[in-house]
Amino acid sequence: MHERSRVAVLISGRGSNMAALIYASRADDCPYEIALVTGDNPEAPGFELAEAEGVPVRRMPAPAKDKSQYFNALQKVLEDHSIDLVALAGFMRILPGEFVARWEGRMVNIHPSLLPRHKGLKTHHACLAAGESVTGATVHLVTPDLDSGEILGQVEVAVLPNDTPETLADRVLIAEHQLYPRVVSQYLSRTRDFDWITNKVGELALALPKTHYQTSHGSPGWKVGTQSSSKFFAIMWNRHHGEETVGVLVKCSGQDEMAQLIEADPDIYFRPAYYGPSDWVGITLDRPRVDWDHVADRLAQSWELVAPRRLLEAGGR
Ligand code: GRF
């Protein structure tokens, strides 16, 4: 069983989408757990439900003024709970740009329309006023522009001839409850996907000077040097030899360093089976909380260990 991603749900009211996320997380194969429910309105009914379900709850009343203090406190709570992903679910506060930037790619929202149609509030009124026959719900990444981030998933809902904004909202809500957990699960699962991980490593590896891609015995790898004379400094590791791990192999200074790394961080470093006493150490990457800056540093060290001397003398990287 993989380590689950830790999701925080932010609510201001009823919390029915929060409930849907909680119940979906009970499935054995769900890639996330709800590690925290928080929000600005201490009276929000959703808190009571979350508490009854045994989910950690933090009521955080928002002061009328000093928005930044509130969001600094919220940031601290999210960090204290080691949150990987923030899921907004009817959270009615406008988020400061700095907070949004901190959670770039790690904060999602659900909106009751088929975005980009009907951003903002009163979406069902707007849909009926426009005489549309189909509406729906959207899960998207949160960016500084309201309801405008990358769309991760949508579901369509038919508009009935006698729909009022209320009847339509009720039906869209049923669709929301199915969409949100499904999209959150898919989004979080990408961090276990070999191709997604390989792309991330490739971006970092190719940012180093004089590097290129090449496979090594079928595994994606990256070399430094010219096409005619070059050396591998990173090779992907994809559940080889019946092991579970997806990761990357990088060069270290030798057996001593490898033993130290593995002893200090056995969840992160591994000794690649069947490599014998080599200087290739594995970094596990199919985990929710990969520190990609650290991976970039290790790739750079590996690059330095194998880069041709003239590259290093020329100032290297
Ligand atoms: C939902 O309609 C959601 O799409 C919107 O706010 C509403 C929250 O409802 N962002 P609930 O609190 O999840 O029941």
Side-chain angles (χ1 to χ4, degrees):
M1 177 68 192
H2 280 91
E3 190 185 347
R4 293 185 185 217
S5 297
R6 294 172 62 80
V7 173
V9 188
L10 268 57
I11 62 169
S12 295
R14 181 176 53 182
S16 69
N17 277 289
M18 170 212 75
L21 288 164
I22 292 174
Y23 298 138
S25 75
R26 300 279 156 81
D28 284 346
D29 61 351
C30 185
Y32 69 83
E33 63 182 297
I34 303 300
L36 176 69
V37 171
T38 183
D40 56 328
N41 168 17
E43 310 298 325
F47 287 135
E48 209 180 323
L49 188 152
E51 275 166 345
E53 295 295 349
V55 175
V57 163
R58 286 293 286 272
R59 291 173 176 78
M60 297 184 64
K65 292 186 183 158
D66 205 352
K67 225 166 112 171
S68 63
Q69 194 195 336
Y70 177 76
F71 280 94
N72 285 342
L74 178 59
Q75 176 67 25
K76 169 100 177 43
V77 169
L78 297 172
E79 282 171 13
D80 287 349
H81 286 78
S82 307
I83 295 303
D84 300 307
L85 184 88
V86 172
L88 306 179
F91 184 65
M92 299 306 283
R93 298 256 144 198
I94 301 216
L95 308 172
E98 197 190 327
F99 184 79
V100 174
R102 275 181 161 166
W103 290 91
E104 187 192 348
R106 297 186 300 141
M107 181 155 56
V108 294
N109 182 39
I110 185 150
H111 184 78
S113 80
L114 289 178
L115 289 172
R117 297 189 70 78
H118 312 310
K119 297 178 181 178
L121 298 173
K122 297 211 179 259
T123 54
H124 305 301
H125 284 88
C127 164
L128 293 174
E132 289 165 352
S133 58
V134 177
T135 184
T138 304
V139 175
H140 63 94
L141 287 177
V142 177
T143 55
D145 293 334
L146 186 71
D147 300 330
S148 299
E150 182 189 332
I151 291 173
L152 301 179
Q154 290 186 309
V155 61
E156 291 189 354
V157 173
V159 178
L160 303 183
N162 294 325
D163 262 335
T164 63
E166 291 73 30
T167 59
L168 191 52
D170 286 349
R171 233 171 31 263
V172 170
L173 194 62
I174 298 172
E176 289 181 37
H177 293 166
Q178 303 192 20
L179 180 72
Y180 210 0
R182 176 162 60 78
V183 173
V184 166
S185 293
Q186 279 170 355
Y187 188 59
L188 292 171
S189 296
R190 80 203 191 294
T191 60
R192 296 179 195 166
D193 177 68
F194 179 75
D195 292 339
W196 185 86
I197 294 170
T198 302
N199 262 333
K200 285 280 287 191
V201 175
E203 277 171 22
L204 300 175
L206 293 175
L208 294 162
K210 297 269 186 267
T211 50
H212 62 268
Y213 173 86
Q214 195 171 314
T215 54
S216 164
H217 302 285
S219 277
W222 295 271
K223 292 179 109 177
V224 51
T226 57
Q227 293 285 351
S228 55
S229 157
S230 59
K231 283 185 174 169
F232 280 106
F233 67 98
I235 301 171
M236 290 302 294
W237 180 266
N238 187 13
R239 304 186 178 96
H240 290 314
H241 307 294
E243 286 188 351
E244 277 289 292
T245 313
V246 174
V248 65
L249 307 186
V250 291
K251 288 270 184 185
C252 63
S253 59
Q255 289 292 299
D256 288 350
E257 190 189 5
M258 188 176 324
Q260 278 164 17
L261 290 170
I262 295 170
E263 197 190 343
D265 272 313
D267 291 340
I268 297 182
Y269 291 101
F270 64 93
R271 186 183 298 275
Y274 300 98
Y275 260 66
S278 77
D279 48 5
W280 287 103
V281 64
I283 309 175
T284 306
L285 294 175
D286 54 344
R287 295 176 287 124
R289 277 170 293 287
V290 173
D291 177 349
W292 287 100
D293 290 338
H294 178 73
V295 177
D297 286 346
R298 286 303 326 184
L299 286 167
Q301 284 174 41
S302 183
W303 181 97
E304 268 178 31
L305 283 167
V306 300
R309 172 170 285 208
R310 64 181 161 72
L311 264 184
L312 295 168
E313 280 166 0
R317 49 195 191 93

